[in-house]
Amino acid sequence: MTRHEDMAGRVLAVVVRALPFHRKDWGQAMRAELAAITEGPARRQFVRGCTRAVLLSGTALRTLAGYVGMLVFAAVILRQTADLPSAGVRVEAIGLIAVITVLAWCGRRRGALGPAGIDLVPRLIRLAGYAAVMTTVAVLLTTGTNDPTGWWLAALAVGVYLTGFLRATTQPAADALSLPIAATLTLVGLAVWWVPMLLLIGVRAAPILTFLVACALVPAGTALGSRTGSPIKGTLSGLAAAAVTLLLFFLAAVLTYRLAPGLVPDIAGPGDAGGLTPAAKAETNQIESIDPYVADFLLGAVLSGILTAVSVRRRPGVATGIRRFPGEVYPADR
């Protein structure tokens, strides 16, 4: 085989890597057919045709867009870390970007975190998970960036959230919980709190309401699961919804108070209480108003970590190779 013929094989090997996991058989078929072609011009023509087919397919374009998005995100965050006042936070932020990159890579490989389910719902939820995580990182880099001893905990929570999103959208986990139920409960829970929060000062003055709303999602999931004959599946879906909703509560509160400072509750007191200047008072009010939602953020990460740990545990003595949640009844068990 000449150098040019071998180059054709290398090019095709790179091209098929753009295919998602569930289309890998197509890539293997291309490589097998190329191996049967011996003429150099024919090999190159075949590779050109395969390249066009792969690059013009929707799955490859989405994969390429994902890679570009991750690169842009990493570049923006790294640029933002250069302006951070704390060297410790800069190191931790760079480490977080590395962790996110590794997790994203694992999400495309067969294993506990990947690949995503073949249906549209898990793919959309995984995409939304990436968006939520990226937004969270951007928010954290402008919140408490002078405290490396606390920032690492927030960075750890981000990693746990992303791991949870990836695990929940794999095929085994998607079979063990209802992603449509979880997504619906998440959106309903966010709307139930956020809309009144925008309109009523009493809701903004009572951050504990977010915890109550998140707790209510669990029995709601159980009830919805019972209607389909799987209360445990519904409960797990409710727990997953609660974890994600707690993250969204945090993001909604932070972004709302930044974009609409007039909605920030007056915690510092009227007038020049405490000797604060108007600017210092506004900053204090915003910080104090956001602090309670940090607890939501961390609690959601703990819940996400627990669900992820449970979902990857195999039931002993089962030879089907299917990852299960405790208590679920499968046809093979009957």
Side-chain angles (χ1 to χ4, degrees), residues 122-320:
R123 293 181 178 278
L124 289 177
I125 291 178
R126 178 168 288 200
L127 180 62
Y130 278 121
V133 166
M134 292 178 182
T135 303
T136 303
V137 174
V139 166
L140 291 176
L141 286 176
T142 55
T143 303
T145 51
N146 290 320
D147 182 16
T149 59
W151 206 90
W152 73 266
L153 182 60
L156 176 62
V158 170
V160 172
Y161 273 119
L162 180 55
T163 302
F165 275 117
L166 294 176
R167 176 59 192 170
T169 51
T170 60
Q171 192 61 50
D175 291 338
L177 58 84
S178 173
L179 291 178
I181 289 179
T184 301
L185 290 175
T186 298
L187 295 176
V188 170
L190 178 62
V192 164
W193 170 78
W194 196 20
V195 173
M197 178 261 198
L198 294 173
L199 301 175
L200 303 174
I201 189 172
V203 175
R204 296 194 292 274
I208 189 63
L209 293 176
T210 57
F211 177 75
L212 299 178
V213 172
C215 288
L217 297 180
V218 180
T222 304
L224 291 174
S226 298
R227 297 182 63 180
T228 60
S230 181
I232 294 180
K233 189 173 184 178
T235 301
L236 292 170
S237 302
L239 288 169
V244 178
T245 304
L246 288 168
L247 170 62
L248 296 181
F249 284 157
F250 168 73
L251 292 177
V254 173
L255 295 177
T256 297
Y257 289 150
R258 287 187 182 179
L259 298 176
L263 296 179
V264 177
D266 187 5
I267 298 176
D272 58 351
L276 297 175
T277 64
K281 178 182 175 182
E283 182 180 2
T284 299
N285 282 334
Q286 188 172 89
I287 293 173
E288 295 295 332
S289 298
I290 291 174
D291 278 349
Y293 300 101
V294 175
D296 291 341
F297 170 67
L298 297 177
L299 178 60
V302 171
L303 186 55
S304 177
I306 293 174
L307 287 171
T308 302
V310 171
S311 71
V312 298
R313 189 175 64 183
R314 292 179 181 271
R315 280 182 55 179
V318 178
T320 60

